[in-house]
Amino acid sequence: MKPHNIHYDVRFDTPQSHLFELECRIAHPAAEGQRLSLPAWLPGSYLVRDFARHIVSINASSDRQEVELRKVDKSTWVAAPCKHPLVIRYQVYAYDLSVRTAYLDHTRAYFNGSSLFLQVAGQEQEHCSVEIHHPGKAYAGWTIATTLPARKTSSNGFGLYEASDYQALIDYPVEIGDLAIAEFKAMGVPHRLVVSGRHEADLKAISRDLKKICEHHIRFFGEAPFKRYDFLLYAAADNQYGGLEHSDSTSLICPRSWLPVKHEQHDRQQYQDFLGLCSHEYFHAWHVKRIRPSAFANLDLSREAYTRLLWVFEGFTAYYDTLALVRSGLMSEQEYLAALSKDLTRYLRTPGRRVQPLEESSFDTWIKLYKPDENTPNSQISYYLKGSLVALAIDLSLRLKGRSLDDVMLALWKNFKHDMLVDEGSMQDLIRETCGDRLASLFRDCVQGCEDPPLEKLLSKFGIRYTAPKTGDADLVRQWLGLQLANDDTRISYVFSGSAAEQAGLAAGDVLVAQDKLKASAKGLKQQLKRGRNQIGLHFFRRDELMTTVIKPRDHALADVTLAVGDKRKPEQDQLRQDWLAIS
C-alpha cells in the first residue's frame, strides 16, 4: 500500500513523565513554507481550550538538517521551505483526566487526536496514518481500544492506523492500558464496553443493559449510522463525571461506585445516571455528529463556531437520554417522574432562567456555560437543562394533537441523509412541515424569551399531578437566607439575587466565623432558623478582613416540585401517557 503523505508516530516510553513523544512526517510540505497548528477546541465541547499550551518542546528537520520553525500565534507554527520531507518532533504534556484532552501515567494512556496531532495547513483533506508504539516490557499487558481504522496492528492493538482526513483523525479517541472489555451486538452491529481504571464492575450486566439502550436508539432512527461502536469508560473517583460524543464511539468517565458489582447491591439511581450518560452520548451519534447545525459545517477549530441551536442538539438529547431508559425497560414510570421532578426543581431554583433566553444561552456557551463563577446561578440558564424541559413541552404539545417530537427527530434524520444541515431559526418551520404546528407562543416565550415552559398544565393532560411540597431542612439556609454554603459548611459559594444575604452585604467567598457570638456552622444556622429568629448577627472573613453584619431571614419561596401519576384519571390521559413513555 502506498505510504500516506502525512504520518504520525506516537510514543510514550516513560509514562511517568506524562509526556507523549510525537513525530509528524510530511512527504510533500508546502513550497512556501509549511504551516502547522493544533486545534483550540474540539467538537462536542464548546470551550476554547488551547491544546497547544501543552506542547513542551517542538523542532523541525528535513533530510537530517534542522529547519527553522517559527511560532506565529498561540497555536500555529511555520516551517521554513525545504525540498525534502519535513519532520516535526514535539512533546505533549498529558495529565488531564477529562474526556476532552489527554492523559498519561504508568497506569493508563488516553488521548483525543485534537490534543496530539498537528494539523498540516493545505493538506487537511489528505489521508493520513498513525503508528502507536508499545512503551516496552514493563507494560506488556497494555492493549489499545479505539475505532480508528487499523491498517497493520498486533494482537494487543499497537501498530499502524489510518484516517481519511484530519477531521476524521481527531474524531477517534484512543484508550490504552490494562483494559477490561466486553463485547455485544445491538441489532447486529458490534459494540464494545471498554473499562479502564480500578473497578470490580459486572461488565456482563452492564453490557446487557447497554444493549437494550442501543437497540432502542437504533430502532428509533431506523438504522445505525456506524459499522461498530465503542463505549470507552474510565472508572474514577467519586468527583469525576462526563462524556464526549464521537461518530462511532464515546469517551466516558464516572465514579466506580456507580457501577454494579456482581453479587452486591448497588445504588439503582446512580446506575441509572450512568446509563443515562451512555444513552446521551450514544444518541449524539445521530443527533450532533450527523444531524448538526449549519454553523458546524466546515469547522475551523482555531476559533469559535456560534449557533443558537445547542438547546436543540444538547437539550433534545438530554430529554431523550432518560426517556430512552423508560422506553427500553430500564427505568420505571415512577423513577422517571422522580428524575423529572429533580430537573424541574433545579430549573426553578435557578434565578438566571429569568435573565438569559435559551437561544442566548446556546450562543454564549463559549464564554459562559463552561466558565461558571459565583454569579452564574443569578445570570445564566443551562441549555441542557432548560432545553430538555422545552423539548418535553414541545413533545407533550404535539402529542395532544396526534403527533410528537419523535416525528420531528425522524424528519431531521431524513433531512441529514439528503445533505441538509439545520439552519438557524429553522426549527419552527420543520415542526410545522412535519406536524402542522409552529408552536409560535412556546418558541416566543420559552426559546427567544425567558418564560418557563407550561409543564404543569401540559402534564396534567397526561394524568400527572404537579405538586410543590414544603422545603426540607437541608434547604433552610438557602430558603430563608438566600445563600449556599460550600462543603466545608462556612464558606459561601453563592449569594442569590434579591436575597436576605445580598441585602446584608454577604458575597460569594466570604467565610462565616460566628453567628450570634457562637462558632458558625450550617447546623447552627438551621437551628436558629427553625427557632424563628428574626435576625442573626454574623462575623465573617472577606479575604483577610474580619467583618460583621446582621442578616434578617425571610422566606424566598424556594421551589420544590414533585410529579406523580394522579389518582383521578381519564382513560384518554392514561393512553396519552402510555404512548409517550411507551409503557403498557
Side-chain angles (χ1 to χ4, degrees):
M1 185 177 290
K2 184 179 178 181
H4 292 115
N5 187 41
I6 301 171
H7 175 79
Y8 303 88
D9 280 284
V10 181
R11 292 182 172 85
F12 43 100
D13 296 332
T14 56
Q16 64 273 18
S17 71
H18 317 301
L19 293 174
F20 282 102
E21 305 277 349
L22 278 297
E23 271 191 16
C24 174
R25 284 178 278 172
I26 307 162
H28 305 290
E32 70 277 13
Q34 184 61 62
R35 293 177 69 89
L36 306 114
S37 62
L38 270 187
W41 62 282
L42 77 165
S45 183
Y46 309 107
L47 176 69
V48 172
R49 298 180 185 275
D50 291 327
F51 299 118
R53 68 192 177 96
H54 295 299
I55 291 183
V56 174
S57 64
I58 185 169
N59 61 73
S61 64
S62 179
D63 196 26
R64 299 184 181 181
Q65 299 296 313
E66 183 178 349
V67 172
E68 180 187 6
L69 187 65
R70 183 167 55 94
K71 193 170 187 178
V72 296
D73 64 31
K74 63 181 180 178
S75 58
T76 306
W77 294 260
V78 177
C82 54
K83 297 181 180 179
H84 299 284
L86 176 66
V87 179
I88 310 294
R89 295 182 177 88
Y90 56 107
Q91 294 178 314
V92 176
Y93 180 74
Y95 203 52
D96 183 345
L97 271 178
S98 84
V99 296
R100 305 171 190 92
T101 51
Y103 182 87
L104 178 63
D105 67 8
H106 66 286
T107 66
R108 171 184 181 243
Y110 169 84
F111 63 84
N112 286 286
S114 51
S115 292
L116 263 60
F117 298 130
L118 287 168
Q119 179 173 285
V120 181
Q123 301 187 42
E124 294 90 348
Q125 305 305 315
E126 292 279 338
H127 279 63
C128 50
S129 57
V130 177
E131 184 157 7
I132 305 176
H133 298 263
H134 197 286
K137 291 182 180 180
Y139 306 95
W142 281 19
T143 59
I144 292 179
T146 181
T147 53
L148 183 64
R151 184 171 167 186
K152 186 178 180 180
T153 59
S154 64
S155 59
N156 54 5
F158 289 91
L160 195 61
Y161 294 85
E162 59 187 353
S164 58
D165 55 40
Y166 184 78
Q167 287 287 341
L169 175 66
I170 64 172
D171 195 31
Y172 298 105
V174 178
E175 184 73 63
I176 308 171
D178 186 7
L179 308 177
I181 300 176
E183 299 181 357
F184 63 95
K185 286 187 176 181
M187 305 298 290
V189 179
H191 289 63
R192 294 194 303 176
L193 170 62
V194 179
V195 186
S196 63
R198 291 188 180 183
H199 67 92
E200 298 178 348
D202 186 346
L203 300 192
K204 185 176 180 180
I206 299 173
S207 297
R208 182 178 62 246
D209 293 338
L210 286 180
K211 176 183 173 73
K212 294 177 182 178
I213 295 169
C214 295
E215 290 188 336
H216 166 76
H217 285 312
I218 294 172
R219 289 193 187 100
F220 180 85
F221 284 102
E223 60 187 311
F226 39 73
K227 294 182 178 178
R228 53 183 290 212
Y229 194 92
D230 277 0
F231 292 91
L232 305 178
L233 171 64
Y234 177 64
D238 283 346
N239 61 343
Q240 299 287 332
Y241 175 83
L244 185 66
E245 70 274 6
H246 297 274
S247 294
D248 58 7
S249 65
T250 178
S251 287
L252 308 165
I253 183 169
C254 84
R256 62 178 63 89
S257 60
W258 289 15
L259 305 175
V261 176
K262 197 171 183 179
H263 304 309
E264 290 185 12
Q265 288 188 336
H266 64 273
D267 188 307
R268 183 172 171 83
Q269 182 180 319
Q270 289 181 342
Y271 181 49
Q272 287 173 340
D273 288 343
F274 163 71
L275 293 177
L277 174 65
C278 295
S279 176
H280 185 99
E281 305 305 338
Y282 194 73
F283 193 86
H284 272 323
W286 290 266
H287 192 55
V288 99
K289 295 307 296 184
R290 273 102 180 164
I291 308 167
R292 61 192 190 278
S294 55
F296 288 1
N298 305 313
L299 281 175
D300 178 357
L301 296 177
S302 69
R303 58 184 180 182
E304 298 90 339
Y306 293 98
T307 176
R308 289 179 168 83
L309 288 172
L310 289 180
W311 70 274
V312 171
F313 287 91
E314 291 295 352
F316 282 23
T317 303
Y319 170 59
Y320 276 106
D321 63 22
T322 310
L323 186 59
L325 300 190
V326 184
R327 290 177 170 180
S328 56
L330 295 169
M331 177 181 276
S332 69
E333 179 181 35
Q334 293 75 19
E335 288 171 328
Y336 177 66
L337 293 179
L340 189 55
S341 300
K342 289 184 178 179
D343 286 345
L344 272 166
T345 297
R346 185 159 54 97
Y347 167 75
L348 293 171
R349 290 185 178 185
T350 305
R353 78 185 200 281
R354 296 296 193 192
V355 177
Q356 186 183 46
L358 188 52
E359 284 190 336
E360 185 179 307
S361 172
S362 173
F363 195 82
D364 280 346
T365 183
W366 300 97
I367 58 173
K368 291 192 174 182
L369 183 70
Y370 292 99
K371 296 181 177 180
D373 60 27
E374 65 281 353
N375 195 46
T376 290
N378 296 323
S379 61
Q380 297 178 43
I381 190 62
S382 165
Y383 52 79
Y384 284 85
L385 178 57
K386 187 174 182 180
S388 69
L389 297 176
V390 170
L392 171 61
I394 292 173
D395 197 9
L396 298 183
S397 298
L398 293 175
R399 286 180 181 278
L400 291 172
K401 300 180 181 183
R403 302 303 297 269
S404 72
L405 188 58
D406 298 357
D407 299 322
V408 178
M409 294 306 305
L410 293 177
L412 284 169
W413 180 240
K414 181 180 178 181
N415 286 352
F416 160 74
K417 293 200 292 183
H418 288 89
D419 298 321
M420 294 171 61
L421 301 184
V422 184
D423 293 329
E424 303 292 307
S426 66
M427 281 305 299
Q428 279 184 274
D429 292 334
L430 178 67
I431 292 172
R432 182 192 61 203
E433 293 167 7
T434 306
C435 303
D437 192 328
R438 296 185 78 243
L439 301 177
S441 61
L442 185 58
F443 272 76
R444 182 190 65 241
D445 297 341
C446 303
V447 178
Q448 286 113 24
C450 296
E451 295 299 315
D452 299 332
L455 290 174
E456 182 174 2
K457 179 180 178 181
L458 288 168
L459 288 165
S460 69
K461 296 181 183 298
F462 287 71
I464 295 172
R465 187 178 64 250
Y466 184 114
T467 58
K470 291 184 178 180
T471 302
D473 286 354
D475 299 312
L476 282 177
V477 172
R478 178 167 175 179
Q479 181 180 2
W480 288 93
L481 304 183
L483 60 82
Q484 183 170 313
L485 295 171
N487 291 333
D488 59 12
D489 282 353
T490 59
R491 181 178 296 275
I492 298 175
S493 295
Y494 299 109
V495 169
F496 296 95
S497 296
S499 67
E502 184 182 66
Q503 186 66 32
L506 294 168
D510 292 349
V511 179
L512 303 182
V513 179
Q515 56 203 41
D516 286 342
K517 299 182 180 181
L518 297 175
K519 184 178 179 181
S521 68
K523 182 178 180 180
L525 282 174
K526 290 174 188 175
Q527 288 174 342
Q528 287 181 299
L529 292 171
K530 286 180 182 179
R531 290 199 298 266
R533 295 294 296 271
N534 57 13
Q535 66 178 38
I536 301 171
L538 294 175
H539 286 71
F540 62 96
F541 277 111
R542 178 167 296 168
R543 296 178 294 276
D544 61 346
E545 298 179 35
L546 183 63
M547 299 183 178
T548 62
T549 190
V550 173
I551 190 168
K552 298 179 180 180
R554 64 173 185 266
D555 191 351
H556 295 279
L558 200 58
D560 197 351
V561 173
T562 296
L563 302 178
V565 176
D567 297 327
K568 298 179 180 180
R569 307 185 307 275
K570 298 177 181 178
E572 56 267 31
Q573 292 176 315
D574 284 340
Q575 189 60 56
L576 279 169
R577 195 175 65 260
Q578 290 167 10
D579 291 343
W580 165 42
L581 300 177
I583 56 177
S584 57

